[in-house]
Coordinates of all heavy atoms in Angstrom, one line a residue:
A16 N -4.7 -2.2 10.9 CA -3.6 -1.5 10.2 C -3.5 -0.1 10.7 O -4.4 0.5 11.3 CB -4.0 -1.5 8.7
Q17 N -2.3 0.5 10.4 CA -2.1 1.9 10.6 C -2.5 2.5 9.2 O -1.8 2.3 8.2 CB -0.6 2.2 10.9 CG -0.1 1.7 12.2 CD -0.8 2.3 13.4 OE1 -1.0 3.6 13.4 NE2 -1.2 1.6 14.4
W18 N -3.5 3.3 9.2 CA -4.2 3.7 7.9 C -3.2 4.5 7.1 O -2.5 5.4 7.5 CB -5.4 4.5 8.2 CG -6.5 3.7 8.9 CD1 -6.7 3.7 10.2 CD2 -7.4 2.8 8.3 NE1 -7.8 2.8 10.5 CE2 -8.2 2.2 9.3 CE3 -7.6 2.4 7.0 CZ2 -9.2 1.3 9.1 CZ3 -8.6 1.4 6.7 CH2 -9.4 0.9 7.8
A19 N -3.1 4.1 5.8 CA -2.3 4.8 4.8 C -2.9 6.1 4.4 O -2.3 7.0 3.9 CB -2.0 3.9 3.6
G20 N -4.3 6.2 4.5 CA -5.0 7.4 4.2 C -6.0 7.7 5.2 O -5.7 7.7 6.4
A21 N -7.2 8.1 4.8 CA -8.3 8.4 5.8 C -8.6 7.2 6.6 O -8.7 6.1 6.1 CB -9.5 8.9 5.1
V22 N -8.9 7.4 7.9 CA -9.2 6.3 8.8 C -10.6 5.7 8.3 O -11.5 6.4 8.0 CB -9.4 6.8 10.2 CG1 -9.9 5.7 11.1 CG2 -8.0 7.3 10.8
G23 N -10.6 4.4 8.2 CA -11.8 3.7 7.7 C -11.9 3.5 6.2 O -12.8 2.8 5.8
D24 N -11.0 4.0 5.5 CA -11.0 3.9 4.0 C -10.2 2.7 3.6 O -9.0 2.8 3.2 CB -10.4 5.2 3.4 CG -10.5 5.2 1.8 OD1 -11.1 4.2 1.3 OD2 -10.0 6.1 1.2
V25 N -10.9 1.5 3.6 CA -10.2 0.3 3.2 C -9.7 0.3 1.8 O -8.6 -0.1 1.5 CB -11.2 -0.9 3.4 CG1 -10.5 -2.2 2.9 CG2 -11.5 -1.1 4.9
D26 N -10.5 0.9 0.9 CA -10.1 0.9 -0.5 C -8.9 1.8 -0.7 O -8.0 1.4 -1.5 CB -11.3 1.4 -1.4 CG -11.2 1.1 -2.8 OD1 -10.9 -0.1 -3.1 OD2 -11.3 2.0 -3.7
G27 N -8.8 2.9 -0.1 CA -7.7 3.8 -0.2 C -6.4 3.1 0.4 O -5.3 3.2 -0.2
H28 N -6.6 2.4 1.5 CA -5.5 1.7 2.1 C -4.9 0.6 1.2 O -3.7 0.5 1.0 CB -5.9 1.1 3.5 CG -4.8 0.5 4.3 ND1 -3.9 1.2 5.0 CD2 -4.5 -0.8 4.4 CE1 -3.1 0.4 5.6 NE2 -3.4 -0.9 5.3
R29 N -5.9 -0.1 0.6 CA -5.5 -1.2 -0.4 C -4.7 -0.6 -1.6 O -3.7 -1.2 -2.0 CB -6.8 -1.9 -0.8 CG -6.6 -2.9 -1.9 CD -7.9 -3.6 -2.2 NE -8.9 -2.8 -2.8 CZ -9.0 -2.4 -4.0 NH1 -8.1 -2.9 -4.9 NH2 -10.0 -1.7 -4.4
K30 N -5.2 0.5 -2.1 CA -4.5 1.1 -3.3 C -3.1 1.6 -2.9 O -2.2 1.6 -3.7 CB -5.4 2.2 -3.9 CG -6.7 1.6 -4.6 CD -7.6 2.7 -5.2 CE -8.8 2.0 -5.8 NZ -9.7 3.1 -6.4
A31 N -3.0 2.2 -1.7 CA -1.7 2.6 -1.3 C -0.8 1.4 -1.2 O 0.4 1.5 -1.5 CB -1.8 3.4 0.0
A32 N -1.3 0.3 -0.7 CA -0.5 -0.9 -0.6 C -0.1 -1.5 -2.0 O 1.0 -2.0 -2.1 CB -1.3 -2.0 0.2
E33 N -0.9 -1.3 -3.0 CA -0.5 -1.7 -4.3 C 0.7 -0.9 -4.8 O 1.7 -1.5 -5.3 CB -1.6 -1.4 -5.3 CG -2.9 -2.3 -5.1 CD -4.0 -1.9 -6.1 OE1 -3.8 -1.0 -7.0 OE2 -5.1 -2.5 -6.0
Q34 N 0.7 0.4 -4.6 CA 1.9 1.2 -5.0 C 3.1 0.9 -4.1 O 4.2 0.8 -4.7 CB 1.5 2.7 -4.8 CG 0.4 3.2 -5.7 CD 0.7 2.9 -7.2 OE1 1.8 3.2 -7.7 NE2 -0.2 2.3 -7.9
F35 N 2.9 0.6 -2.9 CA 4.0 0.2 -2.0 C 4.6 -1.1 -2.5 O 5.9 -1.3 -2.5 CB 3.6 0.1 -0.6 CG 4.6 -0.4 0.4 CD1 5.5 0.5 0.9 CD2 4.7 -1.7 0.8 CE1 6.5 0.1 1.8 CE2 5.7 -2.2 1.6 CZ 6.6 -1.3 2.2
A36 N 3.8 -2.0 -2.8 CA 4.3 -3.4 -3.2 C 5.1 -3.3 -4.5 O 6.2 -3.9 -4.6 CB 3.1 -4.3 -3.5
R37 N 4.7 -2.4 -5.4 CA 5.5 -2.3 -6.7 C 6.7 -1.5 -6.5 O 7.8 -1.8 -7.0 CB 4.6 -1.7 -7.7 CG 3.6 -2.7 -8.4 CD 2.8 -2.0 -9.4 NE 2.2 -2.9 -10.3 CZ 1.1 -2.7 -11.1 NH1 0.5 -1.5 -11.0 NH2 0.6 -3.6 -11.9
R38 N 6.6 -0.4 -5.8 CA 7.7 0.6 -5.8 C 8.7 0.5 -4.7 O 9.8 1.0 -4.8 CB 7.1 2.0 -5.8 CG 6.3 2.3 -7.1 CD 5.6 3.7 -7.0 NE 4.9 4.0 -8.2 CZ 4.2 5.1 -8.4 NH1 4.2 6.1 -7.5 NH2 3.5 5.3 -9.5
T39 N 8.3 -0.2 -3.6 CA 9.1 -0.3 -2.4 C 9.4 -1.7 -2.0 O 10.6 -2.1 -1.9 CB 8.5 0.4 -1.2 OG1 8.2 1.8 -1.6 CG2 9.4 0.4 0.0
L40 N 8.4 -2.6 -1.9 CA 8.6 -3.9 -1.4 C 9.4 -4.8 -2.4 O 10.4 -5.4 -2.0 CB 7.3 -4.6 -1.2 CG 7.3 -6.0 -0.7 CD1 8.1 -6.1 0.6 CD2 5.9 -6.6 -0.4
L41 N 9.0 -4.7 -3.7 CA 9.8 -5.6 -4.7 C 11.3 -5.1 -4.8 O 12.1 -6.0 -4.8 CB 9.1 -5.5 -6.0 CG 8.2 -6.6 -6.4 CD1 7.6 -6.4 -7.8 CD2 8.9 -8.0 -6.4
P42 N 11.6 -3.8 -4.9 CA 13.0 -3.5 -4.9 C 13.8 -3.9 -3.6 O 14.9 -4.3 -3.7 CB 13.0 -1.9 -4.9 CG 11.7 -1.6 -5.7 CD 10.7 -2.7 -5.1
L43 N 13.1 -3.8 -2.4 CA 13.7 -4.3 -1.2 C 14.1 -5.8 -1.3 O 15.2 -6.2 -1.0 CB 12.8 -4.1 0.0 CG 13.2 -4.9 1.3 CD1 14.3 -4.1 2.0 CD2 12.0 -5.0 2.2
L44 N 13.1 -6.6 -1.8 CA 13.4 -8.0 -1.9 C 14.4 -8.3 -2.9 O 15.2 -9.3 -2.8 CB 12.1 -8.8 -2.2 CG 10.9 -8.6 -1.1 CD1 9.7 -9.3 -1.6 CD2 11.4 -9.2 0.2
A45 N 14.4 -7.6 -4.0 CA 15.3 -7.9 -5.1 C 16.8 -7.5 -4.7 O 17.7 -8.2 -5.1 CB 14.9 -7.0 -6.3

């Protein structure tokens, strides 16, 4: 992945993906 936060922070990357999924991905698909 291209890290969404600090390099190596899997948990931070995952939580950023949660926000992206709700706020950006779903509206795009809708």
Side-chain angles (χ1 to χ4, degrees):
Q17 296 294 317
W18 297 97
V22 173
D24 183 4
V25 174
D26 199 47
H28 187 78
R29 173 176 64 85
K30 290 179 178 177
E33 292 177 5
Q34 296 303 312
F35 176 83
R37 278 179 162 159
R38 297 178 178 177
T39 305
L40 179 58
L41 263 178
L43 166 79
L44 299 177

